[in-house]
Amino acid sequence: MINVEIREENASEYEAVRAVLLNAFESSDEADLVERIRSSQFYIPELSLVAVYKKKVIGHILFSEIEIQSNNTTSKTLALAPVSVIQQHQGNGIGARLIMSGLEKATDLGFDSVILLGHSDYYPRFGFEPASTWEIKPPFDVPPENFMGIELAPKGLDKKKGIVQYPSVWQL
């Protein structure tokens, strides 16, 4: 495992983060999503973290605000998306460190839960469970085991039953 620094992203690193996202994913969709979220009211600067190795950004994670809606209530939560590490350094635990640091920071900031769409064999190791555990559903058709949540505070998702609503900045 290489020794990386995990810290809050700063504006001078936006292009470096875009380069990480373009390297880690097959299209520019995730890089474009990060840029749209940054320019929205759902962006939380303290929850946009980078992994730095030898003064170079090699990883990034972003948490942003979303809502869960039921018939008569709307509850705020966080979305984790995306998390990325340049291909050369994948498999070294950097993504895991970004996730753990992000969850800790979100807890410190007073958030009580996180929702994500991701690999069902990866995220449970951090405590994520199918969102259906709390009667929370995605707004689109995905396998239930890939749509997950985690409580950062006791009972953080217990009263948030309903359908996740992603802000319009999430749309292509």
Side-chain angles (χ1 to χ4, degrees):
M1 181 180 291
I2 63 173
N3 187 25
V4 297
E5 174 190 10
I6 307 292
R7 61 168 170 73
E8 187 177 325
E9 167 195 53
N10 62 59
S12 67
E13 295 167 323
Y14 288 177
E15 284 304 314
V17 167
R18 184 170 180 82
V20 167
L21 288 155
L22 292 173
N23 177 277
F25 292 100
E26 295 177 5
S27 76
S28 66
D29 291 350
E30 288 80 5
D32 296 342
L33 173 62
V34 167
E35 289 178 3
R36 288 192 309 270
I37 291 172
R38 273 194 203 117
S39 63
S40 77
Q41 68 195 45
F42 310 103
Y43 177 61
I44 306 161
E46 299 88 348
L47 293 176
S48 184
L49 305 177
V50 291
V52 179
Y53 177 64
K54 295 184 177 179
K55 299 183 181 181
K56 182 180 178 193
V57 175
I58 62 166
H60 175 257
I61 192 168
L62 180 64
F63 295 80
S64 58
E65 287 188 27
I66 59 171
E67 295 179 340
I68 302 170
Q69 293 182 340
S70 67
N71 291 339
N72 53 3
T73 62
T74 299
S75 305
K76 290 193 181 296
T77 188
L78 292 174
L80 185 171
V83 59
S84 57
V85 176
I86 61 170
Q87 292 177 23
Q88 173 188 353
H89 291 292
Q90 290 176 2
N92 288 314
I94 298 165
R97 290 206 38 219
L98 282 163
I99 292 166
M100 291 184 296
S101 295
L103 293 174
E104 182 179 326
K105 183 74 169 178
T107 302
D108 291 347
L109 291 173
F111 291 96
D112 62 2
S113 58
V114 177
I115 299 291
L116 65 78
L117 175 62
H119 295 288
S120 61
D121 57 346
Y122 183 70
Y123 290 97
R125 72 181 77 175
F126 305 102
F128 284 90
E129 301 176 47
S132 59
T133 302
W134 299 278
E135 298 178 42
I136 297 170
K137 299 176 184 167
F140 37 72
D141 191 30
V142 295
E145 65 272 14
N146 296 112
F147 194 70
M148 295 173 261
I150 188 172
E151 294 179 312
L152 301 178
K155 301 184 186 283
L157 285 170
D158 274 7
K159 295 184 180 179
K160 296 185 180 183
K161 299 170 185 9
I163 300 173
V164 169
Q165 299 299 311
Y166 291 94
S168 60
V169 296
W170 281 71
Q171 313 306 317
L172 291 176

